[in-house]
Amino acid sequence: MRQFFSVAPWGEIPPPHVSATCLLLRTPANAWHEGLLEQDEEKACLTARETGLPVFTARLAGGEGPFLLPGASSVWSGNGHLLKRLRLFERDSAVISPETPTGTDSPLPSPEQQLRHALRKGMEDFILKSGYGAVCLNLLENSASLLLAELLKETCPSLEVTGFLPSLPGIPEETRERVQAFAGTAGIGVRTVSFPAKAGGLDEKAAIAWLMRQWAEEEGALLLSSLTGTDIMTAPRFLPAALAADFIPLGDLYETELANLFPGFISPAPEAARRDGFLIRLHREHESATELVNRFPESEREIRRLQRQARASEWTRLKLPPRLMLRSIPGTQETPYIHRLAD
């Protein structure tokens, strides 16, 4: 007995030798962003109920450069019940079989859990696929440096991590001692970088960063920057040093978002939530500064200050190394800065 199978777009008339449609296959290719999986599974469930057919959603998984593919392929029965879902962000070697369902009622992790998992997995895949067995970072770069170091050791325990303690003015000795103690507890190698007598016209932070760059190239290590989205948008003095890095894992998350995701590592100032709220509207949701001022007239000075800071660093930001895309929706056409920030 011969059996024939064919694949046809949904809505087309099946070929003559096919008696009936037996399965709907969906292959969404979107990179992960918050809310994507929930929306996509609602569509799969609705399609199954409307057609009475099993629905199989196949998704690629894992990091692809700065983007992260979600995985979590799933099968839905003809009455809209979840039969099985593969692991989030993982390339499972598995056959989804409706006859042997497992975890049939397991909901997706919460948005916060997904985001924490996405950060760890995206960072791990980027580093490993870059071919490096070691990474290094400035442990005194900003308030998120220790968080990044902790995530590296937690996510890739076999990865060799070197933390630099630059000899720069303005850093209290107790801060340096606290950071060094943390590095020892976390099993991070520590190196002291002294500021050169002549920096060749570079500022101190940038000179130290390029010394780290030179060491990283000699040692075959990947140089990371711990800048956050808040730093990138509001602290232009940090950007020249970040140009020496290879990867900015935290660059798509604002300071208060990281503080909420990982309590205990970052302690934002009381006004930080309002500041980051404006930054999110300006630079992630692409709302113009004038529209924002009309909605919050009492905060016009703060909004215009953030607008000026972003414009002042616009061209430098374009030259920064890749950051892991976690909250910005990949593939969305951004409003040009000239329209978004020069209104």
Side-chain angles (χ1 to χ4, degrees):
M1 177 179 178
R2 298 179 64 189
Q3 292 183 332
F4 295 92
F5 298 90
S6 67
V7 178
W10 176 244
E12 291 188 2
I13 299 175
H17 58 272
V18 178
S19 59
T21 304
C22 58
L23 174 73
L24 293 182
L25 174 64
R26 304 171 67 249
T27 56
N30 298 43
W32 180 86
H33 61 82
E34 192 171 298
L36 169 74
L37 291 175
E38 288 80 357
Q39 296 172 10
D40 196 59
E41 290 203 343
E42 284 181 10
K43 291 179 183 177
C45 179
L46 181 61
T47 301
R49 289 175 177 171
E50 289 178 344
T51 62
L53 295 170
V55 174
F56 173 41
T57 302
R59 303 186 191 91
L60 296 176
E64 294 293 336
F67 304 120
L68 189 63
L69 301 175
S73 297
S74 60
V75 166
W76 297 77
S77 68
N79 56 7
H81 290 140
L82 176 64
L83 298 177
K84 189 172 182 180
R85 182 195 299 115
L86 297 185
R87 292 182 299 166
L88 189 64
F89 305 127
E90 300 292 342
R91 288 181 170 86
D92 281 298
S93 293
V95 175
I96 299 182
S97 172
E99 285 75 26
T100 56
T102 58
T104 55
D105 298 323
S106 57
L108 286 166
S110 69
E112 293 77 16
Q113 289 175 306
Q114 288 188 43
L115 184 56
R116 283 191 287 266
H117 191 178
L119 174 58
R120 293 184 175 99
K121 183 61 180 176
M123 187 167 60
E124 177 188 25
D125 278 11
F126 187 98
I127 293 170
L128 295 180
K129 289 179 180 179
S130 298
Y132 291 88
V135 298
C136 58
L137 71 158
N138 179 355
L139 293 176
L140 298 174
E141 184 176 18
N142 66 346
S143 59
S145 298
L146 296 187
L147 169 61
L148 179 56
E150 174 72 12
L151 290 174
L152 287 167
K153 294 304 294 184
E154 176 187 305
T155 304
C156 309
S158 62
L159 186 70
E160 182 181 339
V161 180
T162 299
F164 287 89
L165 291 175
S167 299
L168 289 172
I171 298 177
E173 188 59 32
E174 58 268 23
T175 299
R176 189 181 301 276
E177 292 174 356
R178 177 176 60 84
V179 170
Q180 190 156 5
F182 166 86
T185 303
I188 296 171
V190 175
R191 291 180 64 90
T192 300
V193 179
S194 299
F195 183 67
K198 293 185 179 180
L202 295 173
D203 63 32
E204 294 170 335
K205 289 182 180 292
I208 290 295
W210 286 103
L211 283 176
M212 291 167 52
R213 165 88 265 163
Q214 181 179 359
W215 181 90
E217 290 177 351
E218 292 173 354
E219 297 293 323
L222 189 75
L223 178 57
L224 305 181
S225 169
S226 59
L227 293 191
T228 66
T230 302
D231 298 324
I232 290 172
M233 286 298 176
T234 64
R237 68 187 186 280
F238 286 166
L239 301 187
L243 294 175
D246 296 302
F247 184 38
I248 307 180
L250 309 179
D252 202 38
L253 296 172
Y254 292 106
E255 184 183 59
T256 49
E257 292 175 323
L258 285 166
N260 291 332
L261 287 171
F262 303 99
F265 283 92
I266 301 175
S267 301
E271 66 275 8
R274 187 168 180 82
R275 173 207 62 204
D276 286 357
F278 288 143
L279 287 173
I280 288 169
R281 291 182 173 92
L282 284 169
H283 306 120
R284 190 183 289 161
E285 299 175 0
H286 313 312
E287 187 172 344
S288 79
T290 295
E291 292 173 352
L292 203 55
V293 167
N294 290 337
R295 290 174 57 191
F296 302 96
E298 74 283 359
S299 301
E300 179 172 6
R301 291 186 64 182
E302 173 69 4
I303 294 168
R304 293 302 181 186
R305 183 180 66 82
L306 294 173
Q307 180 187 28
R308 290 193 300 272
Q309 287 177 328
R311 282 190 56 78
S313 62
E314 175 182 346
W315 296 110
T316 306
R317 290 200 311 276
L318 295 176
K319 294 179 283 187
L320 287 175
R323 64 183 188 270
L324 188 60
M325 303 299 286
L326 295 168
R327 281 284 171 85
S328 299
I329 299 178
T332 299
Q333 184 64 40
E334 289 199 6
T335 307
Y337 281 105
I338 193 169
H339 299 309
R340 180 149 43 101
L341 298 175
D343 58 352

